[in-house]
Amino acid sequence: LAGGTYSDAITFAWYDSDPASGTASVIATSENPTINDLPAGIQEFWLIVTSNNCPSLAGSVRVVINEIPSVTASNDGTECIDPMADLNLSAAPVDGQSPYTYTWTGPNNFASIEKNPVLPNAANDLSGTYVVVLTDANGCTAQASTTIDVTQGPNEPFLTGIGTLCQGESFSLTAEQTYTGIDVHYEWTGPLGSTTSGAYADAATLAIDAVSVADIGAYNLQVTVDGCSTVISQPHFLSVTPTPEAPLVEDIVICIGDLLQIGTETAAENYQWTGPNGFTSTDQNPFVSANAGPTDVGDYVLVVIQDGCPSEPATVNVSINSLADVATLRTNGPICEGEDLVLETSATCEMYQWIGPDGNSVETLANPLLTTTTNTTTIPANDVAYDAGVWTLICLNGEGCASSASEPVEVV
């Protein structure tokens, strides 16, 4: 309070109310006193100045005391916050006179005049103390602070792996990101269960050595680094094509020198044959040899490709039988016209083919006198096969393999 300028012989008396009321109390005796702890509102003080023992009339002064504002500060920072989340600072004024202004300061030269400023993309370096100074309409100020203690959570895992496999192929699924920390835990979930249930290993890569139809479905990953967990990844879907059935094949039995051709009736996208002596082919019905021999004997394995996947293998067993021994042909010639023609051999055969001047066509050999199971045949003069000329004998063994023709015999 200020009462003016006076000489040293002057005394002062400040009152808390009108001295004329008789209830006023002296609250100060200095010329310009300082009065503390006054409540908000309009306060009136009275002054009497005494000079040479003569008091002045009481004068008054009114003082407007503004309400002191206060403010609280807060934030929504947490442990393990989503890296893409925003942090929000908040100021809450109490008392004082609106409108208010705000001045925020904080780590990394942070400054803002917003009431509730936003800190985008939460990161560990945003941690620290943030101070807000509030100024109300009367120019009165208040200050508060809030401390952000934030730990950025690990980024969401993005999974990479093949989406479609054949049954029996290997499968691996990994996250594009690399996670580091003192304690890193990988929680995989899939059609067979989860890491917690024991279905999948706690590892950065989910690996299946040989997939089956049971592995078809969606896979997800959540990573926990030092107690902070990522959001669950987007699902990765795996499709498994079942192994096609083995193609239809039949074993082959032929004679030495025959044409050897293997094959299947099964239609497929591709054919993969392997066999003895390094044989390979991608034909459906490949030729192996035009003159089959002992080295062609064995198993020929076929795998077909259906819907991009290899089938179960099928095996063709090739057996090659030896030829019958060459027989010696004898006749009863020379004979007279009208006499029976007798052909014979001492060789033991499963079947005998007696071949005369009419040749060895199927039609000719259909004559039961020319194809026999006995080692002799008699051709009467009235049979169509009865003829002079060159005759030979072919012997067929029990495997159906024919000998070479015997030495020719001329019948006259």
Coordinates of all heavy atoms in Angstrom, one line a residue, residues 128-161:
G128 N 10.6 -38.2 -20.3 CA 11.2 -37.1 -19.6 C 10.1 -36.3 -18.9 O 8.9 -36.6 -18.9
T129 N 10.5 -35.1 -18.3 CA 9.5 -34.2 -17.6 C 9.1 -33.1 -18.5 O 9.9 -32.4 -19.2 CB 10.2 -33.7 -16.4 OG1 10.5 -34.8 -15.5 CG2 9.2 -32.7 -15.6
Y130 N 7.8 -32.9 -18.6 CA 7.2 -31.8 -19.4 C 6.5 -30.8 -18.4 O 5.8 -31.2 -17.5 CB 6.1 -32.4 -20.4 CG 6.8 -33.3 -21.4 CD1 7.2 -34.6 -21.2 CD2 7.0 -32.8 -22.7 CE1 7.8 -35.3 -22.1 CE2 7.6 -33.5 -23.7 CZ 8.0 -34.8 -23.4 OH 8.6 -35.6 -24.4
V131 N 6.8 -29.5 -18.6 CA 6.4 -28.5 -17.7 C 5.4 -27.6 -18.5 O 5.6 -27.2 -19.7 CB 7.5 -27.6 -17.2 CG1 7.0 -26.5 -16.3 CG2 8.5 -28.5 -16.4
V132 N 4.3 -27.3 -17.8 CA 3.3 -26.3 -18.4 C 3.2 -25.1 -17.5 O 3.1 -25.3 -16.3 CB 2.0 -27.0 -18.7 CG1 1.3 -27.5 -17.4 CG2 1.0 -26.0 -19.4
V133 N 3.2 -23.9 -18.1 CA 3.0 -22.7 -17.3 C 1.6 -22.1 -17.9 O 1.5 -21.9 -19.1 CB 4.1 -21.7 -17.5 CG1 3.7 -20.3 -16.8 CG2 5.4 -22.2 -17.0
L134 N 0.7 -22.0 -16.9 CA -0.6 -21.4 -17.3 C -0.7 -20.0 -16.9 O -0.3 -19.6 -15.8 CB -1.7 -22.2 -16.5 CG -3.2 -21.7 -16.7 CD1 -4.1 -22.9 -16.7 CD2 -3.6 -20.8 -15.5
T135 N -1.2 -19.1 -17.8 CA -1.5 -17.7 -17.5 C -2.9 -17.4 -17.7 O -3.5 -17.7 -18.8 CB -0.6 -16.8 -18.4 OG1 0.8 -17.2 -18.2 CG2 -0.8 -15.4 -18.1
D136 N -3.6 -16.9 -16.6 CA -5.0 -16.6 -16.8 C -5.2 -15.2 -17.4 O -4.3 -14.5 -17.7 CB -5.8 -16.8 -15.5 CG -5.5 -15.8 -14.5 OD1 -4.7 -14.8 -14.7 OD2 -6.1 -15.9 -13.4
A137 N -6.5 -14.8 -17.5 CA -6.8 -13.5 -18.1 C -6.3 -12.3 -17.3 O -6.1 -11.2 -17.9 CB -8.3 -13.4 -18.3
N138 N -6.0 -12.5 -16.0 CA -5.5 -11.4 -15.2 C -4.0 -11.4 -15.1 O -3.4 -10.6 -14.4 CB -6.1 -11.6 -13.7 CG -7.6 -11.5 -13.7 OD1 -8.2 -10.6 -14.4 ND2 -8.2 -12.3 -13.0
G139 N -3.4 -12.3 -15.9 CA -1.9 -12.4 -15.9 C -1.4 -13.2 -14.8 O -0.1 -13.2 -14.6
C140 N -2.2 -13.8 -14.0 CA -1.7 -14.7 -12.9 C -1.3 -16.0 -13.5 O -1.9 -16.5 -14.5 CB -2.8 -14.9 -11.9 SG -3.3 -13.3 -11.1
T141 N -0.2 -16.6 -13.0 CA 0.3 -17.8 -13.5 C 0.3 -19.0 -12.5 O 0.3 -18.8 -11.3 CB 1.8 -17.6 -14.0 OG1 2.6 -17.2 -12.9 CG2 1.8 -16.5 -15.1
A142 N 0.4 -20.2 -13.1 CA 0.6 -21.4 -12.3 C 1.4 -22.4 -13.1 O 1.5 -22.3 -14.3 CB -0.8 -22.0 -11.9
Q143 N 2.0 -23.3 -12.4 CA 2.9 -24.2 -13.1 C 2.7 -25.6 -12.6 O 2.4 -25.8 -11.4 CB 4.4 -23.8 -12.9 CG 5.4 -24.7 -13.6 CD 6.8 -24.2 -13.4 OE1 7.1 -23.1 -13.8 NE2 7.7 -25.0 -12.8
A144 N 2.8 -26.6 -13.5 CA 2.7 -28.0 -13.2 C 3.6 -28.8 -14.1 O 4.0 -28.3 -15.2 CB 1.3 -28.5 -13.3
S145 N 3.9 -30.0 -13.7 CA 4.7 -30.8 -14.6 C 4.2 -32.3 -14.6 O 3.5 -32.7 -13.7 CB 6.2 -30.8 -14.1 OG 6.3 -31.4 -12.8
T146 N 4.5 -33.0 -15.6 CA 4.2 -34.4 -15.7 C 5.3 -35.1 -16.4 O 6.0 -34.6 -17.3 CB 2.9 -34.6 -16.6 OG1 2.6 -36.0 -16.6 CG2 3.1 -34.1 -18.0
T147 N 5.6 -36.3 -15.9 CA 6.7 -37.1 -16.4 C 6.2 -38.3 -17.3 O 5.4 -39.1 -16.8 CB 7.6 -37.7 -15.2 OG1 8.1 -36.6 -14.5 CG2 8.7 -38.5 -15.8
I148 N 6.8 -38.3 -18.5 CA 6.5 -39.4 -19.4 C 7.5 -40.5 -19.2 O 8.7 -40.2 -19.4 CB 6.4 -39.0 -20.9 CG1 5.2 -38.0 -21.1 CG2 6.4 -40.1 -21.8 CD1 5.1 -37.5 -22.5
D149 N 7.1 -41.7 -18.9 CA 8.0 -42.8 -18.8 C 7.5 -43.9 -19.8 O 6.6 -44.7 -19.4 CB 8.0 -43.4 -17.4 CG 9.0 -44.5 -17.2 OD1 9.8 -44.7 -18.2 OD2 9.0 -45.2 -16.2
V150 N 7.9 -43.8 -21.0 CA 7.3 -44.6 -22.1 C 8.4 -45.6 -22.6 O 9.6 -45.2 -22.8 CB 6.8 -43.7 -23.2 CG1 7.9 -42.9 -23.9 CG2 6.1 -44.6 -24.3
T151 N 8.0 -46.8 -22.8 CA 8.8 -47.8 -23.5 C 8.1 -48.2 -24.8 O 7.0 -48.7 -24.7 CB 9.0 -49.0 -22.6 OG1 9.7 -48.6 -21.4 CG2 9.9 -50.0 -23.4
Q152 N 8.7 -47.9 -25.9 CA 8.1 -48.3 -27.2 C 8.0 -49.8 -27.4 O 9.0 -50.5 -27.2 CB 8.9 -47.6 -28.3 CG 8.3 -47.9 -29.7 CD 9.2 -47.3 -30.8 OE1 9.8 -46.3 -30.6 NE2 9.2 -47.9 -31.9
G153 N 6.8 -50.3 -27.7 CA 6.7 -51.7 -27.9 C 7.3 -52.0 -29.3 O 7.5 -51.2 -30.2
P154 N 7.6 -53.3 -29.5 CA 8.2 -53.7 -30.8 C 7.2 -53.6 -31.9 O 6.0 -53.7 -31.7 CB 8.6 -55.2 -30.5 CG 7.8 -55.6 -29.4 CD 7.5 -54.4 -28.5
N155 N 7.7 -53.5 -33.1 CA 6.8 -53.3 -34.3 C 6.1 -54.6 -34.6 O 6.6 -55.7 -34.3 CB 7.7 -52.9 -35.5 CG 8.2 -51.5 -35.4 OD1 7.5 -50.6 -34.9 ND2 9.5 -51.3 -35.8
E156 N 4.9 -54.4 -35.2 CA 4.1 -55.6 -35.6 C 4.9 -56.4 -36.6 O 5.5 -55.9 -37.5 CB 2.9 -55.1 -36.3 CG 2.0 -56.2 -36.9 CD 0.8 -55.7 -37.7 OE1 0.6 -54.5 -37.7 OE2 0.2 -56.5 -38.4
P157 N 4.9 -57.8 -36.4 CA 5.7 -58.6 -37.4 C 4.9 -58.8 -38.7 O 3.7 -58.9 -38.7 CB 5.8 -59.9 -36.6 CG 4.6 -59.9 -35.6 CD 4.4 -58.5 -35.3
F158 N 5.7 -58.7 -39.8 CA 5.1 -59.0 -41.1 C 5.7 -60.3 -41.6 O 6.9 -60.4 -41.7 CB 5.4 -57.8 -42.1 CG 4.7 -56.6 -41.7 CD1 5.3 -55.6 -40.9 CD2 3.3 -56.4 -42.1 CE1 4.6 -54.4 -40.6 CE2 2.7 -55.2 -41.8 CZ 3.3 -54.2 -41.0
L159 N 4.8 -61.3 -41.9 CA 5.3 -62.6 -42.1 C 5.6 -62.8 -43.6 O 4.9 -62.3 -44.5 CB 4.2 -63.6 -41.7 CG 3.8 -63.6 -40.2 CD1 2.8 -64.6 -39.9 CD2 5.1 -63.7 -39.3
T160 N 6.7 -63.6 -43.9 CA 7.0 -63.9 -45.3 C 7.2 -65.4 -45.4 O 7.9 -66.1 -44.5 CB 8.3 -63.2 -45.7 OG1 9.4 -63.6 -44.8 CG2 8.1 -61.7 -45.7
G161 N 6.6 -66.0 -46.4 CA 6.8 -67.5 -46.6 C 5.9 -67.9 -47.8 O 5.1 -67.1 -48.3

